[in-house]
């Protein structure tokens, strides 16, 4: 069964999918995207991702290429045609193609590309052992709240992580506070058992998983604070973890050369991961 992509209104073989050489996504990173996880055939946090997509488009004064309703239908069709039960849908919208000129061109049709692929969402070597992160300076622009495809700083950061044998790189602002990972939000649990994650602002991407985890934490009666934290505070934390569409809540057991807590995934992140997974799949959780 050939893998299919959706490109500007047509389902095409994945390896034949193409956009124009003057697409503004290609030339200016003038585009936005979303990654939505599919677990047991369900689109996880679909509403949240589409709400954020609408916001990203509005911030860049970009048009929707199709109605949100049609977009939902195409996502489902792509999942079906690619037989994805567990995996992701990637969707990208750019302003479209036009002769190269920095300012926004008038009257262009946005480009839309969607792909779907299978993925192991629960690799035990990560979920059961936890992952390691390194810290790097945050060198990005100041509109990190827009989920734009301008990801070069994050690609550089992830490469540094890979070279160091780590899973993720936590970016640190000029005042020593962690902003977020290169493709995830950053969390710690203090010695008193309080969940801490940086508040939403222009300085981080307000993760949809982050938002759902905060809601679930509230439902579970866990205490949490939305405030910045430093690398030193993270070293001393009882637990640390990252969150994103593809990782859910993933334990972090090492930060640079420091072991977090007892070096094993903590209780709170384990509970949150299980609760998020139940929410994602619609299967009620059992009392842990
Ligand atoms: N990344 N922060 C950054 C910089 C991100 O790129 C992401 C997501 C997140 C988490 O957001 P969410 O919970 O909505 O996935 C935070 C996606 C997964 C990616 O680029 O692949």
């Amino acid at each position: 069964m050939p893998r299919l992509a959706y490109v500007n209104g047509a389902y095409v073989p994945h390896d034949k999918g193409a956009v124009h050489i003057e697409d503004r996504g290609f030339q200016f990173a003038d585009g936005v995207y979303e990654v939505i996880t599919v677990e047991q055939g369900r689109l996880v946090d679909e509403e949240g991702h589409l709400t954020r997509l609408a916001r990203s488009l509005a911030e860049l004064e970009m048009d929707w290429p199709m109605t949100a309703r049609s977009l939902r239908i195409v996502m489902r069709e792509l999942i079906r045609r690619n037989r994805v039960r567990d995996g992701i849908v990637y969707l990208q919208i750019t302003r479209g193609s036009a002769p190269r000129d920095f300012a926004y061109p008038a009257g262009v049709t946005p480009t839309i590309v969607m792909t779907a692929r299978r993925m192991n969402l629960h690799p035990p070597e990560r979920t059961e052992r936890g992952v390691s992160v390194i810290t790097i300076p945050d060198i990005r622009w100041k509109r990190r709240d827009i989920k734009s495809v301008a990801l070069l700083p994050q690609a550089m950061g992830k490469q540094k992580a890979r070279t160091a044998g780590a899973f993720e790189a936590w970016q640190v602002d000029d005042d020593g506070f962690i902003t977020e990972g290169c493709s995830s939000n950053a969390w710690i649990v203090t010695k008193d058992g309080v969940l801490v994650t940086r508040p939403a602002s222009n300085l981080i991407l307000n993760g949809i998983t982050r938002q759902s985890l905060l809601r679930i934490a509230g439902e579970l009666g866990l205490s949490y604070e939305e405030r910045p934290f430093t690398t030193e505070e993270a070293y001393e934390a009882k637990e640390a973890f990252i969150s994103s569409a593809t990782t859910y809540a993933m334990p972090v057991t090492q930060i640079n050369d420091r072991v977090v807590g007892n070096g094993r995934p903590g209780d709170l992140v384990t509970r949150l991961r299980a609760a998020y997974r139940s929410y994602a799949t619609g299967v009620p959780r059992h009392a842990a």
Side-chain angles (χ1 to χ4, degrees), residues 95-160:
R95 198 178 302 278
S97 67
R100 188 173 183 276
D101 181 16
F102 284 75
Y104 304 163
V108 285
T109 310
T111 300
I112 179 156
V113 168
M114 276 191 233
T115 56
R117 72 175 165 103
R118 296 176 190 167
M119 190 185 273
N120 178 6
L121 301 172
H122 306 284
E125 68 279 10
R126 293 191 198 132
T127 58
E128 288 169 18
R129 272 191 243 150
V131 299
S132 59
V133 303
I134 58 167
T135 56
I136 58 170
D138 197 331
I139 59 169
R140 298 175 297 164
W141 72 332
K142 298 221 171 65
R143 290 305 308 275
R144 304 162 192 165
D145 54 311
I146 301 172
K147 197 163 173 63
S148 99
V149 294
L151 292 170
L152 191 52
Q154 282 104 310
M156 292 164 72
K158 284 276 190 177
Q159 183 55 38
K160 278 195 179 136

Side-chain angles (χ1 to χ4, degrees), residues 97-239:
S97 67
R100 188 173 183 276
D101 181 16
F102 284 75
Y104 304 163
V108 285
T109 310
T111 300
I112 179 156
V113 168
M114 276 191 233
T115 56
R117 72 175 165 103
R118 296 176 190 167
M119 190 185 273
N120 178 6
L121 301 172
H122 306 284
E125 68 279 10
R126 293 191 198 132
T127 58
E128 288 169 18
R129 272 191 243 150
V131 299
S132 59
V133 303
I134 58 167
T135 56
I136 58 170
D138 197 331
I139 59 169
R140 298 175 297 164
W141 72 332
K142 298 221 171 65
R143 290 305 308 275
R144 304 162 192 165
D145 54 311
I146 301 172
K147 197 163 173 63
S148 99
V149 294
L151 292 170
L152 191 52
Q154 282 104 310
M156 292 164 72
K158 284 276 190 177
Q159 183 55 38
K160 278 195 179 136
R162 180 175 295 178
T163 305
F167 181 73
E168 176 62 297
W170 278 2
Q171 302 168 100
V172 181
D173 69 20
D174 290 345
D175 300 318
F177 292 97
I178 288 156
T179 51
E180 61 184 331
C182 291
S183 65
S184 59
N185 290 114
W187 303 66
I188 55 169
V189 179
T190 66
K191 290 243 162 23
D192 305 332
V194 180
L195 285 159
V196 182
T197 194
R198 192 167 175 127
S201 73
N202 62 308
L203 298 177
I204 64 165
L205 183 76
N206 189 2
I208 302 306
T209 321
R210 172 192 178 282
Q211 295 171 45
S212 287
L213 287 171
L214 285 172
R215 194 196 65 244
I216 290 170
E219 288 165 7
L220 293 175
L222 306 174
S223 39
Y224 62 82
E225 283 172 12
E226 290 179 84
R227 63 165 173 85
F229 59 89
T230 62
T231 308
E232 284 64 37
E233 191 176 2
Y235 286 153
E236 300 305 320
K238 189 149 93 181
E239 301 181 29

